[in-house]
Amino acid sequence: MKSGSVFIAAWVSLPILLGAALSAHAQGRVVEIARGHSWVSPYWGYSSPKIVNDGNACYTAGLWGDEPDTSYGVLYKYDGVAWHEGAHLSDIYQPVTLALDKQGRLLAAYTEQLQPVRIYRSKVPGNIQDLERLPGPPDMKNAYYIGFAVREEVLYLAYLVTPEYSMFLATLNLASLEWTPSRLVCAGQVEHNPKTAWTYPILYPAEDGLHLVASNAPDGGEGNTYNQVWYLFYPHGAQEPSLRELVAETPMGHLSYALDFALDTDGTRHTLLLWNQRKYGDPLPPDSPPAGLYHAWRDDASRSWPRSRLLPDGYGGFFVSKTGLTAVSASNKTFVWQGPRGGWKDGGPLWQESQAPGPPGFFDVLSPASGSDTRGGIAIVTDSVLATEKDQPAQRVLWAILPE
């Protein structure tokens, strides 16, 4: 990365899959979105929404260009027949994240190098060509690793600033376009390891307040690992969280990294995370829990986060429906939550792997936290990098898994 860029790795080399199955036999159909060349996946930063649905169409965004200085974004809309190209967005560093306002207008936000966040909104619901630029927080000097979510008329934005690497949270009234003052979520400390630099915030607005999950990078620019997963809850109108809890922790050089957050139909809080994967340093003690993809849920009675391992490796994510909570893994195995006593049961595969253009890369599932209508079923976007002839740039294919 060029001088002035943020130091925390994108993890672009790891296969990332998150999604969900609605039943043991649910199958999504694979639909290609676009092809081209890009220096990074448009779905890097899948902690914030990369696909939304207004009840009539799905929307996503691509990122094209062989290096950050020449990259640009493209909005796409799926009308039930095909994906259509919309507005182009310039000066992108970290990819576009999406949401929908109460009127169904598309919101698109992204970061530039050393600049405040850019936020655009469709002037008319369903139109991805004609956009207006919305104001950013007036007290923001720059922004990286944004979290993005919407509920009713409120847009929630979490962001990291440099050079302090502190995380802030602000809200925008989408009717009046007035921002609240940015509040400090976690002060950064980057003078020595282990550093304090909360990244990849996951925002999940609910009826009673905002849930926030973040992963700490203790060695950014060097080892680029994550050693802590934190959970915070902000009641509506509160300047400070009423809960600030450590969900998981590992020694520096081993992973504790949050992948997703959800509330189930009973209001139970859930996270998916990578835990105990070793990148460098001394191995963990022999009696340590094995590395893997873990699920943690909050036991409100004991104020603790019990954990269980779903799989030995791979990434995963959630989908919430009226029937409950489902998780899916990188190996296309889905799991259905039966509650704390029943745990998880096998839910079968989500899509036919033979239809995919290649192995999935970064990957995002439709979430109610984006203001989306999720009643139509699971919708997912991902990408694959295809092998090419020697000395030719690799081709990136964007594709979706959509309800049958």
Side-chain angles (χ1 to χ4, degrees):
M1 297 182 185
K2 71 177 186 180
S3 176
S5 64
V6 227
F7 55 53
I8 302 164
W11 286 85
V12 294
S13 63
L14 292 177
I16 302 175
L17 268 183
L18 53 137
L22 300 181
S23 72
H25 303 289
Q27 288 287 338
R29 55 198 174 91
V30 173
V31 182
E32 183 172 324
I33 302 167
R35 296 185 177 217
H37 302 288
S38 61
W39 73 279
V40 71
S41 169
Y43 305 130
W44 166 30
Y46 55 92
S47 52
S48 61
K50 298 297 187 290
I51 180 171
V52 295
N53 187 321
D54 62 8
N56 298 307
C58 286
Y59 305 85
T60 190
L63 188 150
W64 306 110
D66 292 330
E67 58 185 27
D69 288 341
T70 61
S71 65
Y72 63 96
V74 178
L75 298 180
Y76 296 98
K77 174 182 178 178
Y78 184 76
D79 60 6
V81 178
W83 287 95
H84 303 279
E85 183 174 320
H88 287 210
L89 305 170
S90 62
D91 301 317
I92 290 182
Y93 175 52
Q94 291 177 322
V96 179
T97 185
L98 302 174
L100 293 161
D101 71 6
K102 192 175 181 180
Q103 288 72 45
R105 292 172 293 186
L106 183 67
L107 294 155
Y110 61 90
T111 67
E112 297 183 64
Q113 288 276 19
L114 299 174
Q115 297 295 320
V117 68
R118 286 198 184 202
I119 304 174
Y120 293 91
R121 180 169 63 182
S122 295
K123 293 182 179 179
V124 178
N127 187 322
I128 59 171
Q129 294 282 0
D130 195 7
L131 311 176
E132 60 178 340
R133 186 168 177 179
L134 302 188
D139 53 5
M140 173 189 284
K141 62 178 182 179
N142 59 53
Y144 296 94
Y145 296 95
I146 61 174
F148 201 60
V150 167
R151 183 177 174 86
E152 298 296 334
E153 292 285 5
V154 179
L155 183 154
Y156 298 84
L157 176 70
Y159 61 96
L160 178 149
V161 301
T162 61
E164 306 95 315
Y165 292 89
S166 296
M167 181 174 285
F168 290 87
L169 173 67
T171 60
L172 174 67
N173 183 311
L174 288 167
S176 66
L177 297 184
E178 295 179 350
W179 285 94
T180 60
S182 296
R183 69 199 87 166
L184 180 66
V185 176
C186 182
Q189 183 287 117
V190 293
E191 299 301 318
H192 57 80
N193 290 349
K195 298 168 183 172
T196 300
W198 285 19
T199 63
Y200 297 111
I202 303 169
L203 304 182
Y204 201 99
E207 185 175 354
D208 55 349
L210 176 71
H211 303 268
L212 186 156
V213 176
S215 302
N216 185 62
D219 55 3
E222 303 161 28
N224 293 318
T225 60
Y226 304 89
N227 70 329
Q228 293 175 332
V229 172
W230 287 91
Y231 166 80
L232 282 66
F233 178 72
Y234 288 87
H236 284 310
Q239 293 300 305
E240 297 294 331
S242 60
L243 295 175
R244 183 184 291 259
E245 298 175 341
L246 186 62
V247 176
E249 184 174 21
T250 39
M252 190 167 63
H254 294 73
L255 288 188
S256 289
Y257 181 78
L259 302 171
D260 206 358
F261 176 88
L263 292 178
D264 66 19
T265 52
D266 295 327
T268 302
R269 290 163 258 213
H270 299 264
T271 63
L272 278 181
L273 62 149
L274 298 177
W275 194 43
N276 281 353
Q277 285 86 345
R278 177 177 176 269
K279 187 173 182 183
Y280 67 86
D282 294 334
L284 296 175
D287 59 349
S288 299
L293 170 66
Y294 277 78
H295 162 246
W297 61 279
R298 189 177 193 271
D299 184 337
D300 293 340
S302 64
R303 300 172 64 90
S304 63
W305 289 84
R307 291 184 292 266
S308 61
R309 191 171 75 148
L310 289 179
L311 289 167
D313 54 26
Y315 286 7
F318 292 128
F319 183 73
V320 182
S321 68
K322 290 183 178 180
T323 60
L325 180 70
T326 306
V328 67
S329 74
S331 56
N332 197 15
K333 294 180 180 178
T334 61
F335 304 89
V336 180
W337 179 242
Q338 303 296 295
R341 293 186 177 182
W344 295 93
K345 76 171 184 180
D346 184 9
L350 177 62
W351 71 95
Q352 295 179 8
E353 296 178 18
S354 61
Q355 297 178 353
F362 286 108
F363 193 102
D364 187 52
V365 64
L366 188 70
S367 169
S370 65
S372 288
D373 185 337
T374 61
R375 293 174 296 177
I378 186 67
I380 299 166
V381 286
T382 186
D383 65 345
S384 299
V385 177
L386 304 184
T388 58
E389 296 181 6
K390 185 178 180 181
D391 300 326
Q392 296 296 314
Q395 187 176 52
R396 190 180 301 275
V397 182
L398 311 185
W399 50 287
I401 302 164
L402 301 173
E404 287 288 4

